[in-house]
Amino acid sequence: MAERDDPGTIGRRVQQLRTERGLTQKQLAEPAYTPAYVSTLEAGRVRPSEEALRHIAERLGVAYEELATGRPAHLATDLRLRLTDAQRTLATGEAEVAAEQYTALLDEAEAHGLDAECAAASLGLGECALDTGDLTTARLRFEQAEKWLADAPLPSRVPALRGRAVSHYLAGELRYSCYLYESTLDELNRGGLHDPDALLLLYTGVIAPYMDMGAHARAAQAAEFALALAPQVGNPALVARMHRSVARTMIAEGRMAEADASLAKAAELYRHLQIRTELANCHWMRGYLYAQNGELKRAEAELRQAQEMLSAKRAALYTSQVAVELADVLHRRGKSEEAAGLLRDVLGDLSSERGAVHSAAAHRLLGIIAEDARDTETAEEHYVRALSLLERAGAAGDLADLCRLLGDLLRRTGRVEAALDAYRTGLGHRTAPGTTTLGPAPAHPPL
């Protein structure tokens, strides 16, 4: 039951409603109470019992909850239904329209002190901001959702924590993203808070930053736990996201057929749920799979479809990230000029704070294309820029590869000492495979 307002607020509300209805204190009190009691109540000098409030609410013709809290009857239920509508709008890729719906809902929920609904609306606004690539706003919205849920159990706060981790990941703060995932998983598992939905959300989310950091062993273990948890989860959208994320670890292990099957399951679920942005992400991941497997024509088709779907939904950051991977495929297919043009078009939308890993990948590929054209000076500039981006992000696996490219370029241009420094830097990022240097892995779930 909702918490009642203080006696003074309730008294003023009773007096206002009684006056609006043209009732005397005697008429309101009869037959169970005295006019003096109503007078004392309206003055805020007595805390009315539930029985008294229900009597007065009936005489005033309002719901008990509205009299006790000031909230219209069924307001919370109505807000939750409208939150579901906003969620559907976001699922179709209309992030800006959904943001308007969530903003109106947040204002209304905040006006009536409904913390859970405020948190849900803030969470929705964070997801909208992720889709449009506004990472600063996304992080702030997720932080607000956490504050609204400060007194709620940890599993209830997990969606907001996961959103904040994604914001930091997309901003290139891989290590901090991992820290948020790992510390939350550790707290859940050590505390025996076995909430399958919360755990699946976290294990699914941590795979991407693990992979970008070169922590393949931890990524594989997170995927293993996610697959084991999936049968206990009733939310099909969560299960679909799990299949999409787990596919990346399978690709890294060379299990292409299994990865393709996992992506097919995810795509089928997303089509059924009509979640357009996530379906586009399935095409994106399938394009990545085909590219890794050398099936470049199929990879190009999947990536172009993902780019078209994301662009239509104004998912600017994700569209730019897909464009970088498409450019890599085009280059490998001998279309280097088209690839370079595509990269130059999207680099303005990527930076060290916004898609850092893909920004580095764009500079790396532009460096390779420049080297192919024997423009070593431009190639070196792009490699150095990529190196700076990856060092800031802590993307160890990509750093090692880039240091090799830069070292080879420096060696070919006669700068042997500088080349050796680049090689040593690359080797340094390969010294501890499978770790994030964050300390021990989180406690295991009680599977």
Side-chain angles (χ1 to χ4, degrees):
M1 184 172 291
E3 192 173 320
R4 287 193 286 169
D5 284 334
D6 62 88
T9 304
I10 292 173
R12 286 189 294 275
R13 190 175 298 130
V14 169
Q15 185 178 37
Q16 181 183 343
L17 290 169
R18 178 179 63 77
T19 305
E20 286 173 0
R21 284 154 178 74
L23 296 173
T24 65
Q25 291 179 338
K26 182 180 179 183
Q27 288 171 320
L28 186 62
E30 292 177 340
Y33 299 92
T34 65
Y37 176 76
V38 172
S39 176
T40 307
L41 187 155
E42 289 183 351
R45 294 197 298 269
V46 64
R47 176 173 290 278
S49 66
E50 182 180 332
E51 184 183 2
L53 273 188
R54 288 195 181 280
H55 165 80
I56 291 170
E58 186 179 346
R59 299 288 287 170
L60 291 169
V62 298
Y64 164 77
E65 183 183 351
E66 185 173 352
L67 187 63
T69 66
R71 300 167 193 155
H74 312 302
L75 173 67
T77 303
D78 176 58
L79 285 176
R80 282 192 285 272
L81 288 171
R82 287 160 57 200
L83 282 165
T84 302
D85 288 340
Q87 195 174 8
R88 283 199 201 98
T89 303
L90 178 59
T92 62
E94 302 294 335
E96 291 172 352
V97 178
E100 291 176 6
Q101 291 175 280
Y102 280 124
T103 300
L105 285 162
L106 178 59
D107 290 343
E108 199 169 338
E110 199 166 1
H112 291 287
L114 295 167
D115 289 359
E117 286 71 23
C118 284
S122 293
L123 190 65
L125 284 167
E127 295 291 347
C128 291
L130 281 183
D131 269 18
T132 57
D134 187 351
L135 302 182
T136 301
T137 297
R139 190 177 67 250
L140 290 172
R141 290 299 189 183
F142 291 128
E143 287 172 357
Q144 285 175 344
E146 284 185 73
K147 287 176 184 174
W148 288 116
L149 295 170
D151 296 327
L154 179 57
S156 301
R157 303 199 303 274
V158 162
L161 281 159
R162 173 258 170 197
R164 194 150 58 91
V166 172
S167 304
H168 286 288
Y169 166 66
L170 290 172
E173 297 161 5
L174 308 187
R175 197 176 304 280
Y176 187 64
S177 177
C178 284
Y179 164 75
L180 286 174
Y181 282 120
E182 289 191 340
S183 57
T184 308
L185 279 165
D186 205 42
E187 191 175 345
L188 280 170
N189 290 330
R190 289 191 188 282
L193 297 169
H194 186 68
D195 184 298
D197 285 31
L199 289 169
L200 187 65
L201 198 58
L202 294 167
Y203 281 119
T204 296
V206 79
I207 288 171
Y210 274 163
M211 292 293 288
D212 285 351
M213 290 183 72
H216 293 167
R218 286 199 185 183
Q221 187 178 60
E224 182 186 332
F225 290 150
L227 284 164
L229 285 161
Q232 303 172 44
V233 172
N235 183 339
L238 261 183
V239 175
R241 184 183 287 166
M242 180 277 298
H243 281 300
R244 181 168 62 80
S245 297
V246 163
R248 189 172 173 186
T249 65
M250 293 173 176
I251 293 167
E253 294 167 0
R255 296 154 59 193
M256 299 302 183
E258 290 175 71
D260 204 9
S262 202
L263 287 170
K265 287 178 190 172
E268 184 183 346
L269 284 164
Y270 286 135
R271 270 191 290 270
H272 178 70
L273 295 165
Q274 297 183 321
I275 303 180
R276 294 280 295 170
T277 303
E278 291 288 7
L279 182 57
N281 287 336
C282 283
H283 286 291
W284 177 3
M285 183 60 76
R286 185 164 268 169
Y288 174 77
L289 183 153
Y290 291 145
Q292 293 294 305
N293 208 32
E295 300 174 71
L296 300 182
K297 188 174 180 180
R298 295 179 76 183
E300 181 181 342
E302 291 286 349
L303 290 169
R304 284 194 188 280
Q305 184 162 2
Q307 186 186 33
E308 184 181 331
M309 291 172 74
L310 290 167
S311 178
K313 299 306 174 189
R314 300 183 183 179
L317 177 56
Y318 294 140
T319 304
S320 297
Q321 290 177 319
V322 171
V324 173
E325 297 191 24
L326 174 59
D328 182 57
V329 170
L330 292 172
H331 168 67
R332 290 165 64 188
R333 295 198 71 195
K335 305 176 184 179
S336 295
E337 194 172 326
E338 185 183 351
L342 188 57
L343 292 170
R344 283 191 285 269
D345 285 345
V346 301
L347 262 179
D349 193 49
L350 299 168
S351 67
S352 58
E353 290 82 29
R354 183 182 158 89
V357 174
H358 279 81
S359 180
H363 281 292
R364 173 188 175 278
L365 184 52
L366 283 168
I368 291 171
I369 292 170
E371 256 200 286
D372 291 346
R374 300 184 185 280
D375 185 354
T376 55
E377 187 177 337
T378 300
E380 185 178 343
E381 286 175 7
H382 282 299
Y383 288 155
V384 169
R385 179 72 179 127
L387 185 65
S388 171
L389 287 161
L390 291 174
E391 282 185 325
R392 181 185 179 279
D398 291 341
L399 262 168
D401 172 66
L402 185 66
C403 287
R404 178 187 58 78
L405 286 172
L406 179 59
D408 289 350
L409 174 66
L410 293 168
R411 182 172 51 79
R412 281 194 297 272
T413 54
R415 287 170 286 173
V416 178
E417 282 300 320
L420 286 170
D421 284 342
Y423 291 141
R424 288 189 195 102
T425 302
L427 286 170
H429 291 293
R430 284 296 194 197
T431 54
T435 70
T436 62
T437 70
L438 292 172
H444 291 187
L447 296 171

